[in-house]
């Protein structure tokens, strides 16, 4: 796959206000994004994710490292590089509220050097794609939050850039509108063959839309892996074991010592163990502990796990399944 964004050994530090302490927001982060990919860029608050996004968009200059967009260094040739990327940043005013929906599309197209006549058909297509046709003459400040967000994404699409970066595209939207935005994003990737980077705390968006996720924590990249692979790996690890009799105190201590993620439930008809295994082979270690007291096993069920749970576990415990940087190397 041809690379469209290459982030190499990125580092950014800040001096804490009124103090001499240096804070490292981004610490030697490297990854690649291929043309036509849709990638989630994730991280808890303060992880360095927003700083990384701002450096990719040219809003911040890295202390060290190189970012290229379509082969162009965005520090040395900022304007030329940024012609290949458009962004919808959460918390920023992405639209002119005293203009109508159509006027916003025409205005921002003009900013990109496109004539009103040249973009007429494209605007019509976007109005229909984003279900905004019946609101085209409505002032933006009268639109719902969901419609404003759809319009902001449509404006970014109108630029016809190779890359679109969406920061929290479903923040503050109701369930129905959030689902609609996710559906539209999937349609865009299929039809337009553009590259989309999504930064979001809405894990349903990442799970349903993104092919791959890059997770940053404490300034470092801790995961760079396909979403479907993460779902498969973590689902295989999570089990519920229903027992025929309670565990002894010695057995509980042995399980707690052997397994980092373990929950013993006794307020059900039958006692149960919710457990995550480091690998499938560790089930035998659990059986050995149960066998000590001849504890009967009535059933073993593999648990369904969602991406939000996976994200929390990766941030808390790390990710040790193979080489998580291998995805980037495949793009080279």
């Amino acid at each position: 796959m041809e690379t469209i964004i290459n982030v190499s050994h990125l580092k950014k530090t800040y001096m804490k206000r009124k103090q001499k302490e240096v804070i490292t927001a981004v610490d030697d982060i490297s990854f690649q994004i291929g043309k036509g990919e849709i990638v989630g860029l994730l991280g808890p608050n303060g992880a360095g994710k927003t700083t990384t996004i701002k450096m990719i968009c040219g809003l911040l200059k890295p202390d060290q490292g190189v970012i290229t967009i379509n082969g162009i260094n965005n520090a040395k040739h900022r304007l030329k590089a940024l012609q290949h990327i458009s962004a919808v940043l959460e918390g920023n005013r992405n639209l002119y509220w005293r203009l109508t929906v159509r006027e916003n599309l025409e205005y921002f197209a003009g900013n990109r050097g496109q004539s009103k006549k040249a973009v007429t058909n494209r605007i019509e297509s976007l109005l229909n794609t984003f279900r905004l046709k019946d609101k085209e003459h409505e002032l933006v400040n009268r639109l719902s939050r969901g419609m404003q967000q759809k319009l902001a994404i449509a404006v970014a699409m109108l630029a016809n850039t190779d890359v679109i970066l969406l920061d929290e595209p479903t923040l503050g939207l109701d369930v129905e509108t959030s689902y609609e935005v996710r559906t539209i994003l999937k349609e865009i990737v299929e039809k337009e063959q553009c590259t989309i980077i999504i930064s979001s705390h809405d894990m349903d968006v990442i799970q349903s839309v993104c092919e791959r996720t890059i997770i940053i924590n404490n300034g470092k990249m801790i995961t760079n892996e396909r979403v479907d692979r993460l779902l498969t790996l973590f689902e295989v690890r999570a089990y519920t074991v229903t027992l025929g009799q309670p565990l002894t105190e010695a057995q509980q201590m042995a399980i707690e010592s052997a397994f980092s993620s373990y929950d013993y439930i006794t307020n059900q008809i039958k006692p149960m163990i919710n457990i995550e295994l480091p690998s499938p082979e560790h089930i035998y270690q659990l059986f050995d502990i149960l066998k000590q007291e001849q504890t009967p096993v009535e059933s073993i069920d593999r648990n369904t796990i969602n991406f939000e749970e996976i994200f929390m576990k990766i941030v808390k415990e790390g990710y040790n399944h193979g080489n998580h940087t291998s995805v980037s190397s495949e793009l080279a």
Side-chain angles (χ1 to χ4, degrees):
M1 184 184 294
E2 188 178 354
T3 298
I4 185 70
I5 290 182
N6 185 28
V7 174
S8 180
H9 301 291
L10 210 60
K11 186 171 183 177
K12 183 66 179 179
T13 59
Y14 295 100
M15 184 70 74
K16 219 172 184 180
R17 287 185 181 180
K18 299 182 180 179
Q19 297 181 28
K20 294 183 179 180
E21 183 184 359
V22 175
I23 303 297
T24 301
V26 174
D27 189 4
D28 195 28
I29 286 178
S30 298
F31 59 82
Q32 296 173 320
I33 296 176
K35 287 188 175 181
E37 270 199 295
I38 182 162
V39 176
L41 184 58
L42 310 178
N45 292 333
K49 169 177 55 71
T50 301
T51 301
T52 302
I53 289 170
K54 288 182 177 180
M55 287 190 285
I56 292 173
C57 293
L59 299 175
L60 283 177
K61 187 176 180 180
D63 298 331
Q64 296 177 26
V66 176
I67 301 170
T68 61
I69 303 173
N70 204 24
I72 304 167
N73 187 312
N74 81 336
K76 293 181 178 179
H77 307 286
R78 182 176 177 274
L79 293 180
K80 189 175 180 182
L82 294 183
Q83 289 176 357
H84 296 273
I85 187 169
S86 53
V88 179
L89 300 179
E90 191 277 320
N92 284 32
R93 182 68 65 85
N94 297 294
L95 304 167
Y96 281 102
W97 285 24
R98 294 188 181 276
L99 296 180
T100 66
V101 168
R102 177 175 284 276
E103 287 169 344
N104 265 276
L105 289 164
E106 292 171 347
Y107 173 79
F108 284 105
N111 273 359
R112 289 273 183 169
Q114 299 172 293
S115 70
K116 187 174 178 179
K117 182 178 180 180
V119 297
T120 298
N121 291 337
R122 178 66 170 161
I123 287 176
E124 287 296 322
S125 175
L126 288 169
L127 287 171
N128 290 320
T129 296
F130 286 88
R131 287 72 153 169
L132 291 168
K133 180 62 180 174
D134 60 341
K135 298 288 184 179
E136 64 178 318
H137 300 302
E138 190 82 28
L139 291 176
V140 167
N141 63 1
R142 296 178 182 172
L143 298 177
S144 68
R145 163 77 179 175
M147 288 186 178
Q148 290 173 0
Q149 188 70 347
K150 289 195 294 181
L151 177 58
I153 299 171
V155 166
M157 288 290 305
L158 188 60
N160 284 325
T161 55
D162 298 306
V163 181
I164 299 174
L165 197 155
L166 303 176
D167 188 18
E168 298 290 358
T170 59
L171 183 67
L173 305 187
D174 59 49
V175 174
E176 183 179 353
T177 308
S178 175
Y179 180 80
E180 183 183 4
V181 169
R182 298 201 305 266
T183 302
I184 290 170
L185 291 176
K186 286 189 280 189
E187 290 175 0
I188 287 170
V189 172
E190 291 173 6
K191 293 179 182 179
E192 306 281 342
Q193 293 299 302
C194 62
T195 302
I196 297 181
I197 304 171
I198 298 177
S199 170
S200 179
H201 286 90
D202 185 345
M203 295 301 150
D204 287 338
V205 173
I206 304 302
Q207 183 171 341
S208 64
V209 175
C210 295
E211 301 166 5
R212 178 162 59 100
T213 183
I214 296 166
I215 300 178
I216 297 170
N217 194 26
N218 296 321
K220 293 183 177 291
M221 186 180 75
I222 57 173
T223 299
N224 181 1
E225 187 58 89
R226 289 187 60 86
V227 171
D228 56 1
R229 175 170 164 77
L230 289 173
L231 287 166
T232 300
L233 284 171
F234 279 84
E235 187 175 67
V236 167
R237 292 172 52 187
Y239 291 87
T240 295
V241 181
T242 303
L243 305 174
Q245 68 185 41
L247 297 174
T248 66
E249 188 173 332
Q251 283 177 307
Q252 292 180 54
M253 291 177 64
I255 294 174
E256 288 174 4
S257 176
F259 301 97
S260 60
S261 182
Y262 151 76
D263 186 23
Y264 180 44
I265 301 170
T266 58
N267 60 351
Q268 304 292 324
I269 297 175
K270 297 284 186 178
M272 294 188 302
I273 301 170
N274 287 332
I275 195 165
E276 284 190 20
L277 306 177
S279 68
E281 292 77 17
H282 281 80
I283 192 73
Y284 300 113
Q285 187 176 0
L286 175 62
F287 285 164
D288 286 341
I289 296 171
L290 298 176
K291 189 177 179 181
Q292 292 171 6
E293 301 292 337
Q294 299 298 310
T295 305
V297 175
E298 298 204 348
S299 66
I300 301 176
D301 299 295
R302 195 170 73 184
N303 295 340
T304 300
I305 191 166
N306 61 39
F307 195 77
E308 184 170 3
E309 293 173 289
I310 292 173
F311 172 74
M312 296 303 295
K313 290 178 186 299
I314 288 174
V315 169
K316 183 179 178 181
E317 303 169 14
Y319 173 57
N320 298 310
H321 295 271
N323 179 10
H324 63 256
T325 60
S326 61
V327 177
S328 289
S329 63
E330 291 174 7
L331 299 173

